Amino acid sequence: MRSFSKKWRSGSGWLGCLTSLALAVALALPAYAGSAVEGARIWPAPDHTRLVLDTSASVDHKVFALSSPARLVIDISNASLKADFDRLDLSGSPIRRIRSAPRNGSDLRVVLDLETDIKPRSFQLEPNQQYGHRLVVDLVKEGGGGAAVRPPQPVLSDNDAGKRDVVVVIDAGHGGEDPGAIGPRGTREKDVVLRMARTIAELINQKPGYTAKLTRTGDYYIDLRSRTLMARKHNADLFVSIHADAFRTPQPRGASVFALSQRGATSETARWLAKSENRSDLIGGSGGVSLDGKDDMLAGVLLDLSMTASINSSIGVGGHVLNRLGRVTSLHKSGVEQAAFVVLKSPDIPSILVEAGFISNPQEEKNLASSRYQQKVARAVFDGINEHFSQTPPPGTLLAWQKRQGGNGSAANQYRIRRGDTLSAVARENRTTVSELMRYNGLSDDQVIVGQTIRIPAS
């Protein structure tokens, strides 16, 4: 008994051997357990295709491209395949077929047979509300980023030769593998904001003197910097990013409008000055000022001036949009807020971010999923944009020309009466008087009806 107790305390003997063996097995288990590829999704976009592999844990991997024929090889260490690649819809992507096989005993090799050569990039994503661990592989079209960039050409209005349209870029947030915020009933932000962005774009394109462009037209992801680059590519007069807010508790509610904060402007100025490739970019839009050849002090001053002007203009248009939103929904804050959102950081394009409501609030989630509510919010955003540019049209645009002409019956100076409108409210918003509106439209009294179109004299 004394001998047994001594061996128990020292860890020697048969019990020590068992303990050592158990420890060795425990340490060895992770090495043999490995990871599994449990699912896959494909998100085709205009300039790239994203392949997402759901994995049971983070993985070590290598990605490389081969030519003649075009292929992409994905090697995943210590992994097995549980997904069925045959069930993937490859239409709209450069992938013709996906093959897979074990490699080196415990590894997995996935081969994509491609229609054309691509540039691959890969990274991993941590679990979120909807998905677990993911390995993301982007197939970027060859030559997509290497072509020479031509200066953007103004969009000429069909109504009047030589007078350009006001260009508004509408950005639907999130997309593809990034669902954005998810409501209690499972409503996804990316779906709601895409529908609203499309509606806003349709309203803008129907208005003479305007052209709308969408940053994304389908369910795919675009990185934040590329969204603002697209606005510069289209020589936009305004960039509007549409989102749906969320909070950790269900109580917060109401729509918001954001412009860039001064702190965000300061950091962006520093980033522009630090990157030499930005020096050839113009500030102030087409025909603006190039930073190329300017010393740091002068370039910094020019950027500060441009940033300040853009922020002031953003707050101005944001105020009009917020005012219109307040007529169709509750507001989270009564004024335009400011924050350092990346998508607002274009130094020469006024930019706003519209939070259409809190998708984390059960009632607002129900509203946001409703097509009727989406139409109301989209109409309010459009009306705010139109109100802003009607008052302060950019030089050289059809709207500016029409304002100088006094609005001689042009469609851009007409207003369609909506439910809740009064002639006095319309007069106040357009900086004129009820008597002037009555005289200009041949009205005998100040009564108007829904659907009636009236002409607005120049302010």
Side-chain angles (χ1 to χ4, degrees):
M1 186 67 179
R2 190 179 299 115
S3 174
F4 178 81
S5 299
K6 183 177 179 181
K7 289 180 180 179
W8 177 284
R9 289 192 300 270
S10 67
S12 60
W14 65 272
L15 186 59
C17 290
L18 283 177
T19 303
S20 300
L21 180 60
L23 181 61
V25 170
L27 290 173
L29 275 176
Y32 292 101
S35 302
V37 175
E38 299 174 331
R41 287 175 300 285
I42 288 181
W43 307 97
D47 62 342
H48 74 281
T49 293
R50 173 161 290 185
L51 171 66
V52 181
L53 302 179
D54 293 314
T55 59
S56 58
S58 59
V59 295
D60 291 329
H61 73 284
K62 293 180 180 178
V63 174
F64 56 94
L66 298 172
S67 297
S68 301
R71 288 155 292 159
L72 182 69
V73 179
I74 308 168
D75 283 336
I76 306 174
S77 300
N78 197 26
S80 60
L81 179 65
K82 293 184 179 178
D84 184 1
F85 291 140
D86 291 335
R87 300 179 63 180
L88 286 176
D89 181 6
L90 305 180
S91 59
S93 79
I95 305 172
R96 292 192 295 107
R97 183 178 58 160
I98 302 180
R99 299 177 282 126
S100 64
R103 180 174 177 270
N104 296 336
S106 60
D107 299 341
L108 174 67
R109 168 164 284 185
V110 177
V111 179
L112 312 183
D113 294 324
L114 304 172
E115 299 281 359
T116 183
D117 288 334
I118 55 91
K119 290 182 180 178
R121 62 188 179 203
S122 65
F123 55 92
Q124 295 189 67
L125 292 174
E126 294 295 320
N128 62 13
Q129 279 182 281
Q130 190 170 8
Y131 302 114
H133 290 277
R134 287 154 291 162
L135 171 60
V136 179
V137 181
D138 283 341
L139 286 62
V140 183
K141 290 181 180 178
E142 285 278 13
V149 179
R150 292 183 294 177
Q153 299 300 309
V155 180
L156 298 183
S157 175
D158 293 335
N159 310 58
D160 198 271
K163 305 295 186 292
R164 73 174 183 86
D165 282 353
V166 170
V167 179
V168 183
V169 171
I170 309 296
D171 170 51
H174 309 283
E177 193 63 16
D178 175 15
I182 300 176
R185 298 168 60 185
T187 306
R188 301 182 301 186
E189 179 182 2
K190 68 172 184 176
D191 300 326
V192 170
V193 299
L194 180 59
R195 288 194 288 269
M196 282 194 284
R198 285 172 171 166
T199 303
I200 296 169
E202 288 172 6
L203 291 169
I204 290 172
N205 284 326
Q206 290 168 7
K207 186 76 171 177
Y210 286 93
T211 292
K213 300 290 185 181
L214 289 166
T215 57
R216 69 177 178 98
T217 57
D219 188 12
Y220 50 84
Y221 181 76
I222 304 171
D223 67 80
L224 300 178
R225 293 286 179 189
S226 294
R227 295 170 192 254
T228 58
L229 287 175
M230 290 177 72
R232 294 182 62 79
K233 173 187 172 184
H234 293 301
N235 198 23
D237 296 284
L238 177 66
F239 177 87
V240 182
S241 190
I242 309 296
H243 289 257
D245 219 336
F247 197 66
R248 61 179 179 273
T249 61
Q251 287 78 22
R253 62 194 298 265
S256 306
V257 177
F258 287 85
L260 183 63
S261 67
Q262 193 58 50
R263 179 175 58 84
T266 301
S267 64
E268 187 66 7
T269 298
R271 192 187 78 88
W272 267 61
L273 292 175
K275 289 187 173 289
S276 59
E277 62 265 29
N278 286 332
R279 292 306 185 99
S280 60
D281 284 346
L282 293 173
I283 58 174
S286 180
V289 180
S290 172
L291 300 180
D292 204 13
K294 309 291 192 298
D295 62 42
D296 283 354
M297 180 174 291
L298 178 56
V301 170
L302 292 172
L303 275 173
D304 283 340
L305 290 171
S306 186
M307 276 287 192
T308 301
S310 290
I311 290 174
N312 290 339
S313 184
S314 301
I315 293 172
V317 67
H320 288 289
V321 171
L322 193 68
N323 177 51
R324 291 289 183 165
L325 284 170
R327 301 183 186 189
V328 300
T329 188
S330 59
L331 298 179
H332 186 60
K333 293 286 179 66
S334 59
V336 177
E337 301 177 72
Q338 291 181 260
F341 290 117
V342 172
V343 290
L344 302 181
K345 290 185 175 183
S346 181
D348 56 348
I349 301 173
S351 306
I352 61 172
L353 185 146
V354 176
E355 297 280 9
F358 277 83
I359 204 168
S360 52
N361 179 291
Q363 182 56 50
E364 291 208 340
E365 178 192 19
K366 184 178 178 181
N367 292 342
L368 288 165
S370 158
S371 59
R372 182 170 178 270
Y373 182 83
Q374 292 169 11
Q375 290 278 344
K376 285 167 56 178
V377 170
R379 167 62 71 174
V381 172
F382 164 72
D383 285 343
I385 293 169
N386 185 47
E387 187 175 81
H388 170 78
F389 284 118
S390 295
Q391 294 181 12
T392 55
T397 61
L398 179 66
L399 298 185
W401 179 82
Q402 287 172 336
K403 188 169 185 179
R404 288 197 305 272
Q405 300 301 310
N408 296 320
S410 67
N413 287 275
Q414 293 181 347
Y415 180 80
R416 189 178 181 86
I417 300 297
R418 297 189 300 277
R419 188 179 301 279
D421 279 342
T422 63
L423 201 61
S424 60
V426 174
R428 186 168 56 252
E429 288 163 13
N430 290 278
R431 299 184 180 183
T432 186
T433 64
V434 172
S435 58
E436 180 67 9
L437 283 179
M438 290 173 59
R439 183 191 66 79
Y440 201 68
N441 290 276
L443 302 175
S444 58
D445 56 38
D446 63 354
Q447 300 301 307
V448 290
I449 60 175
V450 175
Q452 179 181 356
T453 299
I454 60 174
R455 293 163 55 202
I456 307 296
S459 173

